[in-house]
Amino acid sequence: MQNNGLKKVAVLLLLWGSGVSSVAQGEGLPVINVTANKVVQAEEEVPSSLAVIWGETLADAGASDIGDLARYTPGLSFQPFGQSGTSLPVMRGLTSGATTFSSSVLMLIDGVPVVSGQGFDHNLLGVERVEVLRGPQSTLYGRNAEAGVISLHTRQPDEGPYAEMEATLGSRDLTSLRVDAAQPLVPERLYLGISGEWRQQDGFVENLTDGNEADDRQRQSGRLSLRWLPAKDTDVTLRYGRLDYRDSAAPWGRAESKSRRVTSVDPGSNDSSGDDVSLDVRHALGPDLTLRSITARREIRDRVTQDTDLTPAQRFAVGRDQRLTTLSQELRLERQGDEGQSRWVLGLYGDRDDHQLQFEQRNPMGTQRSEATLEAENLALFGQWTLPLGERWRLTPGLRIEQSRVALTPRGAGQRSERWDDVTSQLALQYRLGDDDWLYARYAEGFRAGGFNAFSAQSDYPGYEPEQVASYELGIKGTALSQRLRYGLASYWMTIDDMQVQQVIQPGSVQITNAAAARSQGVELDIDYLLGGHWTLQAGLALNRTRFREFNDLSGDHAGHHNPFAPDISGRLGLRYDSPQGWYAQANLSGMSKTYLDAANRFSRPGHALLDLAGGYQQGPWQLGVYVNNTADRQYDAVGLLNGTIREYSPPREIGLRVGVSL
């Protein structure tokens, strides 16, 4: 019923959008320049499905973590997990498990890669825009971009000093204090930027044992950037970031309990943290030629305890104490080129993982502890070239040669290691229909790194091979109606081989294997429309069908089943009004279809639609805003995690009041 409703909304939107020529003419939508292909180009010129979300939209809606992006990006979702600091993204039907330490979607924060689900988070403070590039991008971005890329671009300090402070009060005793500021230290030479947040909120799952909420949240974060312009052609930025969680348990309950109540002596805690430091250097070798180097170190401390039977007996529980460290270096040469000229990027990339892993599981038979060291090294040479073929045609080939090595050393056992060589390619052909309208066809390959089962019940800690993707995409994008309408429409078909899946080896024992193959196909639509009279409409729809071609384990034959965590339908419809008098109002309706939680398709999260509202007013330096998320207080619990035993409760309605000042 809900799926049919989403389809009707999409059809009505397309019909309505095609008949808007009677709207009074005025200024069109601004040109959006993006760096999705590691060179600056207009959004319409990128031969891939691409969505851009503005930081202002996210801030006005009270968005506070990376999971909130899903409400504004059809085709992007996150697996139900419930623990802050760990997010497992889903795009085009492709997913990854937390124990692979390798994500199927790459996140970049000002160019710094985030390659695993642990640490896949950001508080969105100071973000100017988010570029979400859908589909395999492994040629430019490597092993963790087989399904797409999420690229966050934060505000950079420059000659214009600014200081913004904001306080938010809201539901369940929400209290948030934020600051974002920058100041030139030496005019035209040295700039300092600083931002920070303190946030806490009571949970919504009542623990009947002590009368308190089981899932309280508290977070502190800070970022520092120092930008230096030593010469006219050189730009150097040093960044440091820190993020700490002091949370209680995940919002979990027993699968049969709908009441958001548990009875646990100690539900659990999350004391995870992360920090990163990076050095970003740009040097112009000529008018169109730039050399760029990004050096980074990220360390994630994943420290979690969680009761998993959520009864006074506490017979089942898990615990993690993991330190994940990644060093990365990218060096690339970029040629921008003017209109009608070729553009290219050529680069070297390398990274090294050094992970210290510790996992503990308690059951009625006792407590099992596993410890291991996981090391990985990757080295790649990549390039991509956009070549004009006459006035209307463009050809963009790309190639990446990558070598990776993974070594696992379990405590008390010998080391296991494996090495892989991967070559990925892409080829895009574009045809210019008009000034800003492009038709494109793209073939792209993607892959996700192989590894070992660090916490396997089997003594040989079996390994698994890289996952391979081949994608074919057709699309059209551009502007219409005197640039008041920006559109993008893409259709794709993908094959996934050596698919990394969680397989039941024996009752009570699961591990990652390459036991499956699948096909994924779908359509993605994005629309921005300037209605006139200060109204803006944004809409999107993503249809995806990902099904196993083959997959067998002890729980049965899963051929034809949905890939877990991948919805068939997701969409959004957003409307915003910006008044000349300084006030604004926005509404966002987002939704997705039923999502299965296991390969047998026995457990699921229901389809749902969420309405978020926001409004505010600015007078001089002062700003006042209010938002209401999940306005209808819709409950859409994920029922059946951990082999059918756990229900992840969906968050209830949240109301927030924001007060800010700009200095």
Side-chain angles (χ1 to χ4, degrees):
M1 189 72 176
Q2 291 165 351
N3 294 359
N4 292 335
L6 281 173
K7 292 177 182 177
K8 290 178 181 178
V9 168
V11 171
L12 289 173
L13 176 61
L14 286 172
L15 293 175
W16 177 77
S18 65
V20 293
S21 58
S22 61
V23 177
Q25 300 298 313
E27 293 187 5
L29 291 165
V31 174
I32 298 177
N33 289 322
V34 297
T35 56
N37 281 330
K38 298 193 176 184
V39 293
V40 179
Q41 58 189 147
E43 179 185 357
E44 293 81 14
E45 297 181 24
V46 178
S48 290
S49 179
L50 174 66
V52 178
I53 306 99
W54 296 103
E56 179 185 26
T57 300
L58 298 170
D60 290 342
S64 62
D65 60 50
I66 202 71
D68 290 332
L69 288 179
R71 305 203 308 271
Y72 299 89
T73 315
L76 171 66
S77 59
F78 292 88
Q79 297 182 31
F81 199 76
Q83 295 172 353
S84 301
T86 297
S87 300
L88 303 172
V90 182
M91 196 180 292
R92 289 198 172 176
L94 298 180
T95 64
S96 61
T99 59
T100 64
F101 305 102
S102 177
S103 176
S104 60
V105 176
L106 177 69
M107 183 166 72
L108 297 169
I109 304 173
D110 292 319
V112 175
V114 180
V115 298
S116 69
Q118 294 81 0
F120 201 102
D121 198 9
H122 195 278
N123 64 6
L124 305 179
L125 177 60
V127 169
E128 284 192 338
R129 74 180 188 278
V130 182
E131 300 176 13
V132 180
L133 197 57
R134 308 182 186 101
Q137 309 295 332
S138 294
T139 301
L140 275 182
Y141 292 102
R143 60 190 170 113
N144 294 99
E146 66 161 353
V149 175
I150 301 172
S151 184
L152 279 67
H153 299 265
T154 65
R155 188 174 181 177
Q156 301 302 308
D158 53 25
E159 288 297 317
Y162 63 87
E164 299 174 355
M165 293 180 287
E166 180 184 280
T168 302
L169 300 175
S171 303
R172 307 193 309 278
D173 290 332
L174 168 65
T175 305
S176 172
L177 300 174
R178 288 185 161 204
V179 61
D180 185 17
Q183 175 68 42
L185 300 179
V186 179
E188 300 183 358
R189 277 290 183 268
L190 190 63
Y191 312 94
L192 175 67
I194 186 170
S195 64
E197 177 198 43
W198 178 83
R199 179 185 179 92
Q200 72 172 16
Q201 187 173 27
D202 292 346
F204 54 87
V205 180
E206 182 183 2
N207 185 5
L208 299 178
T209 301
D210 59 15
N212 297 319
E213 286 75 28
D215 58 324
D216 293 344
R217 293 288 181 263
Q218 183 173 313
R219 182 179 71 196
Q220 302 90 37
S221 63
R223 296 195 68 83
L224 177 72
S225 59
L226 190 63
R227 185 181 180 195
W228 179 39
L229 305 179
K232 178 182 178 181
D233 299 325
T234 305
D235 191 332
V236 181
T237 303
L238 177 67
R239 300 183 178 94
Y240 172 76
R242 175 83 184 183
L243 185 60
D244 290 281
Y245 303 97
R246 294 298 177 262
D247 294 352
S248 298
W252 289 2
R254 295 179 64 82
E256 65 273 12
S257 175
K258 300 181 180 179
S259 60
R260 291 177 176 161
R261 293 189 178 97
V262 298
T263 55
S264 178
V265 176
D266 183 11
S269 64
N270 181 355
D271 293 326
S272 299
S273 61
D275 60 5
D276 61 85
V277 60
S278 65
L279 182 65
D280 187 346
V281 181
R282 302 170 187 256
H283 179 68
L285 301 175
D288 297 319
L289 194 62
T290 302
L291 181 65
R292 187 175 183 185
S293 169
I294 302 177
T295 308
R297 180 185 186 274
R298 285 180 54 85
E299 181 173 287
I300 304 299
R301 187 71 183 271
D302 181 33
R303 293 181 292 189
V304 172
T305 62
Q306 179 66 50
D307 182 7
T308 55
D309 66 15
L310 299 163
T311 68
Q314 288 197 303
R315 296 172 300 168
F316 297 91
V318 295
R320 304 192 305 268
D321 190 352
Q322 304 177 148
R323 188 184 298 272
L324 312 178
T325 305
T326 300
L327 298 174
S328 64
Q329 171 66 60
E330 182 174 80
L331 184 66
R332 67 178 188 254
L333 195 61
E334 309 165 358
R335 186 183 190 277
Q336 183 62 45
D338 295 328
E339 179 71 21
Q341 295 182 324
S342 63
R343 300 173 180 173
W344 51 262
V345 56
L346 180 66
L348 284 169
Y349 175 82
D351 65 32
R352 176 180 174 83
D353 295 337
D354 184 3
H355 302 337
Q356 305 299 315
L357 311 178
Q358 181 175 315
F359 180 75
E360 180 178 295
Q361 185 170 3
R362 185 170 70 243
N363 58 47
M365 302 298 294
T367 300
Q368 291 83 42
R369 294 182 177 87
S370 301
E371 295 184 31
T373 298
L374 183 64
E375 298 174 331
E377 297 175 348
N378 296 274
L379 184 63
L381 171 66
F382 64 90
Q384 185 165 294
W385 182 25
T386 299
L387 176 66
L389 303 176
E391 294 183 358
R392 293 189 177 274
W393 293 91
R394 287 184 185 176
L395 186 68
T396 304
L399 187 70
R400 187 183 192 94
I401 302 172
E402 186 156 348
Q403 184 181 84
S404 58
R405 175 184 175 271
V406 177
L408 176 71
T409 309
R411 184 176 182 180
Q415 184 182 85
R416 294 210 58 196
S417 65
E418 188 63 77
R419 186 184 301 273
W420 297 279
D421 296 316
D422 291 283
V423 178
T424 53
S425 62
Q426 78 108 31
L427 182 66
L429 181 64
Q430 295 171 271
Y431 177 74
R432 194 168 197 162
L433 297 171
D435 292 339
D436 300 309
D437 302 284
W438 293 88
L439 182 69
Y440 70 87
R442 180 175 184 260
Y443 168 77
E445 297 171 337
F447 77 102
R448 184 152 55 94
F452 294 97
N453 285 274
F455 307 124
S456 174
Q458 300 186 38
S459 59
D460 60 344
Y461 300 92
Y464 49 90
E465 297 292 313
E467 184 174 282
Q468 307 288 340
V469 177
S471 171
Y472 304 85
E473 182 175 331
L474 289 173
I476 184 172
K477 53 173 56 179
T479 63
L481 305 175
S482 301
Q483 296 186 329
R484 299 170 68 85
L485 174 69
R486 177 181 291 116
Y487 65 91
L489 177 65
S491 63
Y492 60 88
W493 185 82
M494 304 194 306
T495 60
I496 307 103
D497 294 310
D498 292 324
M499 194 173 188
Q500 296 174 11
V501 290
Q502 184 171 276
Q503 186 178 32
V504 179
I505 303 301
Q506 60 187 22
S509 174
V510 296
Q511 66 184 31
I512 304 298
T513 72
N514 299 106
R519 290 190 178 94
S520 176
Q521 58 193 36
V523 176
E524 293 158 347
L525 170 69
D526 295 287
I527 290 177
D528 288 0
Y529 182 57
L530 187 61
L531 298 173
H534 311 287
W535 289 89
T536 306
L537 180 144
Q538 290 186 313
L541 180 68
L543 308 177
N544 173 266
R545 188 182 189 277
T546 301
R547 302 291 187 269
F548 292 120
R549 299 191 332 246
E550 55 186 64
F551 183 17
N552 285 275
D553 64 11
L554 288 184
S555 64
D557 183 357
H558 308 310
H561 287 187
H562 295 72
N563 191 28
F565 309 113
D568 282 356
I569 304 174
S570 60
R572 74 163 292 217
L573 179 64
L575 189 64
R576 182 179 173 105
Y577 179 81
D578 288 282
S579 165
Q581 288 75 37
W583 61 272
Y584 70 89
Q586 70 180 35
N588 187 74
L589 177 65
S590 61
M592 65 178 60
S593 60
K594 184 177 183 178
T595 305
Y596 291 98
L597 309 179
D598 65 321
N601 292 177
R602 294 171 298 173
F603 311 114
S604 64
R605 179 174 62 185
H608 56 276
L610 304 177
L611 176 63
D612 303 329
L613 303 174
Y617 179 72
Q618 180 170 347
Q619 179 65 48
W622 292 95
Q623 303 169 17
L624 179 67
V626 63
Y627 65 86
V628 184
N629 290 333
N630 190 8
T631 304
D633 200 20
R634 178 68 189 274
Q635 189 166 349
Y636 49 100
D637 302 344
V639 183
L641 296 173
L642 299 187
N643 294 323
T645 62
I646 292 296
R647 174 190 293 258
E648 188 207 39
Y649 295 115
S650 59
R653 178 194 299 118
E654 178 176 312
I655 302 173
L657 177 66
R658 304 165 52 238
V659 179
V661 60
S662 300
L663 304 177

